[in-house]
């Protein structure tokens, strides 16, 4: 009965934001309520869980990074915009986007996914393209960052946890999944460049500079203390919600998912689009596994993380700062992730 209710909650989480605009506009609070419901139904709610969540330094680190970056952008936005314009005077926009996506993807494992996504957002803000095109580039870039951050234990919680569980060396993940991730990052860069080239094919940037400035005024709120604070609080609630959801759905993971055949598990791991992939990796990966199984599990988790906003840290930060809605993200993220999953499945298993 408990498992059936948890399945129902999972379906509600996946479906409701796409059909009810109020929920989509307040996705953080919705997920937080669903998280409380999940831990209550599963019986995992306890003071120990609350204490464990509140002691998670990553929650405060991400929130502080978003909060501080909001003000730093205001201080240096003129210089950032000037630097981007200077770069675009020497190279085309499509090459700039390619370099941005690839460099952030490859370096995210060193500078961390948090820093890479913050840099991405501030640069995206200054690009002379329409907001709808910025969304597409952001989703593709976050996909790249989410993949690249897993190459070392420094990049993101999932990679840190996997290395700790396996008691492996610093470059284990680079050796194990780098052969899939690095080419994927380059492909994401090409895809972003191709999209920008197509979307601006008949557009004169200089001619439409005033248009872009007006559009930017419409979509970007004034970065005052109140707005930055509220946005940071919402991201903190979002992260709390993911912690609660991961704890609440742990019985499902333990009873069903972790015992599956690795080929089936590869596809079932699409639930990492709404659940913390580090938690899933902790439940699924064991030192007794051979490298092929570990590789398949990790690739399924990492690729699926790009589907929806809750999928990984770069998605949450970027969507929060650029005010990207669930449907806007899913429209790009789901087909991009599904195509990548299919291609990767054939490469890994066939």
């Amino acid at each position: 009965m408990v498992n059936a209710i948890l399945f129902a909650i999972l379906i509600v989480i996946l479906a409701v934001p796409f059909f009810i605009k109020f929920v989509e506009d307040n996705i953080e609070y919705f997920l937080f309520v669903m998280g409380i419901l999940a831990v209550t139904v599963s019986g995992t709610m306890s003071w120990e869980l609350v204490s464990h969540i509140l002691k998670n330094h990553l929650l405060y680190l991400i929130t502080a990074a978003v909060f501080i970056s909001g003000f730093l952008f205001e201080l240096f936005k003129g210089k950032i915009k000037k630097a981007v314009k200077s770069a675009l005077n020497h190279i085309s926009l499509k090459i700039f986007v390619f370099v941005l996506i690839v460099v952030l993807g490859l370096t995210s494992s060193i500078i961390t996914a948090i820093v890479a996504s913050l840099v991405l957002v501030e640069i995206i803000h200054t690009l002379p393209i329409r907001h709808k095109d910025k969304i597409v580039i952001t989703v593709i870039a976050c996909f790249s960052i989410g993949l690249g951050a897993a190459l070392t234990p420094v990049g993101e919680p999932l990679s840190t946890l996997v290395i700790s569980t396996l008691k492996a060396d610093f470059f284990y993940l680079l050796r194990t999944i780098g052969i899939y991730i690095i080419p994927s990052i380059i492909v994401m860069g090409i895809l972003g460049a191709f999209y920008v080239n197509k979307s601006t094919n008949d557009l004169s940037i200089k001619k439409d500079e005033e248009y872009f400035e007006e559009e930017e005024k419409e979509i970007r709120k004034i970065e005052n203390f109140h707005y930055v604070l509220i946005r940071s609080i919402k991201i903190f609630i979002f992260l709390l919600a993911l912690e609660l959801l991961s704890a609440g759905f742990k019985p499902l993971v333990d009873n069903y998912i972790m015992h599956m055949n690795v080929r089936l598990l590869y596809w079932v791991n699409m639930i990492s689009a709404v659940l913390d992939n580090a938690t899933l990796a902790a439940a699924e990966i064991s030192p007794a596994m051979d490298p092929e199984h570990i590789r398949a599990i990790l690739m399924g988790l990492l690729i699926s993380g790009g589907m929806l906003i809750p999928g990984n840290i770069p998605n949450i930060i970027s969507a929060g700062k650029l005010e990207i809605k669930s449907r806007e993200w899913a429209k790009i993220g789901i087909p991009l992730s599904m195509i990548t999953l299919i291609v990767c499945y054939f490469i890994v298993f066939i």
Side-chain angles (χ1 to χ4, degrees), residues 63-303:
T63 304
V66 172
F67 182 77
I68 294 170
S69 70
F71 290 102
L72 289 179
F73 177 81
E74 282 304 297
L75 292 175
F76 299 105
K77 68 179 180 181
K79 292 183 178 180
I80 295 172
K81 193 170 185 177
K82 185 177 179 180
V84 171
K85 284 187 175 182
S86 176
L88 292 176
N89 286 332
H90 294 86
I91 60 175
S92 66
L93 182 59
K94 64 179 180 180
I95 294 178
F96 181 88
V97 169
F98 171 82
V99 172
L100 178 68
I101 293 173
V102 172
V103 169
L104 288 180
L106 293 177
T107 60
S108 60
S109 62
I110 303 300
I111 66 176
T112 75
I114 299 172
V115 174
S117 55
L118 290 173
V119 171
L120 169 69
V121 169
E122 305 311 345
I123 293 178
I124 288 291
H125 270 311
T126 65
L127 290 183
I129 55 178
R130 295 180 176 85
H131 181 60
K132 65 177 183 179
D133 297 325
K134 290 181 180 181
I135 292 174
V136 177
I137 300 305
T138 300
V139 173
I140 295 173
C142 284
F143 196 92
S144 174
I145 292 171
L147 290 174
L151 291 176
T152 76
V154 175
E156 64 173 358
L158 178 145
S159 54
T160 305
L161 190 148
V162 170
I163 291 297
S164 176
T165 300
L166 298 177
K167 295 180 173 57
D169 63 90
F170 187 87
F171 296 104
Y172 173 80
L173 290 172
L174 178 61
R175 294 195 306 271
T176 305
I177 57 178
I179 191 173
Y180 303 120
I181 286 181
I182 294 174
S184 297
I185 290 174
I186 295 172
V187 170
M188 290 303 112
I190 294 171
L191 184 61
F194 176 79
Y195 177 82
V196 167
N197 184 61
K198 181 179 178 181
S199 66
T200 60
N201 189 42
D202 300 319
L203 180 67
S204 169
I205 292 176
K206 291 184 179 180
K207 180 180 178 181
D208 287 84
E209 187 171 351
E210 293 183 3
Y211 165 81
F212 289 121
E213 289 179 354
E214 287 300 317
E215 186 184 55
E216 190 68 13
K217 290 178 183 178
E218 291 296 321
I219 63 171
R220 182 181 175 87
K221 293 181 175 67
I222 298 174
E223 293 280 359
N224 53 41
F225 178 82
H226 178 263
Y227 177 66
V228 174
L229 179 62
I230 294 298
R231 186 176 61 194
S232 301
I233 291 173
K234 290 178 74 173
I235 287 179
F236 182 74
I237 292 173
F238 207 139
L239 296 170
L240 283 178
L242 292 185
E243 290 280 346
L244 290 169
L245 288 170
S246 295
F249 285 106
K250 193 174 186 303
L252 280 183
V253 174
D254 292 343
N255 294 331
Y256 296 100
I257 295 176
M258 65 184 297
H259 303 296
M260 290 180 175
N261 174 276
V262 68
R263 295 195 177 204
L264 179 59
L265 189 59
Y266 177 85
W267 295 106
V268 172
N269 274 340
M270 284 193 292
I271 62 173
S272 71
V274 292
L275 297 182
D276 179 33
N277 55 20
T279 301
L280 291 170
E284 297 173 9
I285 290 179
S286 164
M289 288 181 172
D290 57 65
E292 287 72 21
H293 283 193
I294 293 173
R295 188 178 296 121
I297 290 172
L298 289 177
M299 291 307 298
L301 289 171
L302 292 170
I303 295 171

Side-chain angles (χ1 to χ4, degrees), residues 18 24 131-132 135-136 139 307 309 319 322-334:
F18 299 104
E24 182 184 33
H131 181 60
K132 65 177 183 179
I135 292 174
V136 177
V139 173
M307 283 188 175
I309 293 174
L322 290 171
E323 299 187 338
I324 302 174
K325 302 301 182 183
S326 298
R327 276 176 287 189
E328 293 176 322
W329 191 287
K331 186 178 179 180
I332 309 301
I334 290 178

